[in-house]
C-alpha cells in the first residue's frame, strides 16, 4: 500500500522513474477525469487496457417523459492472442453491472 501511494505521488509530480512503470499486464487509464473520451491501445507485453471515459448526460424516456441522466462509458481493449474475446466481454459486462449497482456492492 505504501509503495503504491509513493508511486502515485511521484507519477502526479512527473518525477517517477519510467523503469517503475514496466511489467504490467493490465492498465486502467482514466482520461475521463480530464473530460476526454478515449479508446486506448494495448501496448505489449500488456494483455489489456481499460479506458474510463468522461461522464456525459444521456437522455432516456421514462413513462413517456424524456429525462437526462449521467452516464460514463468504458473502453476495453485486449490482446486476442492472449485470450478469447468472450472472457473480455464477460469482464466488461460484470464491471458495468457492478458500477451501475455500486451502492448494493458496497453494502455487501
Amino acid at each position: 500500500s505504501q509503495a503504491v501511494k509513493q508511486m502515485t505521488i511521484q507519477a502526479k509530480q512527473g518525477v517517477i522513474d519510467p523503469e517503475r512503470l514496466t511489467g504490467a499486464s493490465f492498465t486502467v487509464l482514466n482520461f475521463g477525469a480530464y473530460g476526454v473520451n478515449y479508446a486506448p491501445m494495448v501496448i505489449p507485453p500488456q494483455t489489456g487496457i481499460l479506458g474510463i471515459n468522461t461522464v456525459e448526460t444521456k437522455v432516456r424516456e421514462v413513462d413517456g417523459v424524456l429525462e437526462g441522466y449521467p452516464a460514463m462509458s468504458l473502453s476495453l481493449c485486449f490482446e486476442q492472442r492472449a485470450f478469447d474475446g468472450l472472457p473480455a466481454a464477460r469482464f466488461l459486462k460484470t464491471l458495468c453491472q457492478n458500477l451501475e449497482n455500486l451502492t448494493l456492492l458496497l453494502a455487501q
Side-chain angles (χ1 to χ4, degrees):
S1 173
Q2 290 297 332
V4 170
K5 289 177 185 175
Q6 186 61 33
M7 286 180 68
T8 301
I9 291 167
Q10 291 174 351
K12 286 182 178 180
Q13 293 173 346
V15 297
I16 193 164
D17 180 2
E19 287 296 316
R20 296 203 62 198
L21 301 175
T22 61
S25 61
F26 190 85
T27 297
V28 177
L29 181 65
N30 184 8
F31 278 3
Y34 300 100
V36 175
N37 289 328
Y38 178 73
M41 288 182 9
V42 176
I43 300 172
Q46 296 191 18
T47 57
I49 184 166
L50 177 69
I52 301 172
N53 295 314
T54 193
V55 175
E56 298 178 310
T57 301
K58 302 282 184 170
V59 178
R60 65 179 163 212
E61 184 180 339
V62 178
D63 297 326
V65 178
L66 296 179
E67 70 174 26
Y69 67 97
M72 176 186 70
S73 62
L74 302 171
S75 301
L76 178 64
C77 298
F78 56 94
E79 177 58 72
Q80 288 192 312
R81 291 176 290 188
F83 54 90
D84 183 53
L86 186 56
R90 287 182 180 146
F91 165 76
L92 191 56
K93 180 179 179 181
T94 301
L95 178 60
C96 288
Q97 288 172 337
N98 286 335
L99 290 172
E100 289 169 354
N101 299 293
L102 194 56
T103 51
L104 292 175
L105 187 65
L106 294 174
Q108 294 179 354

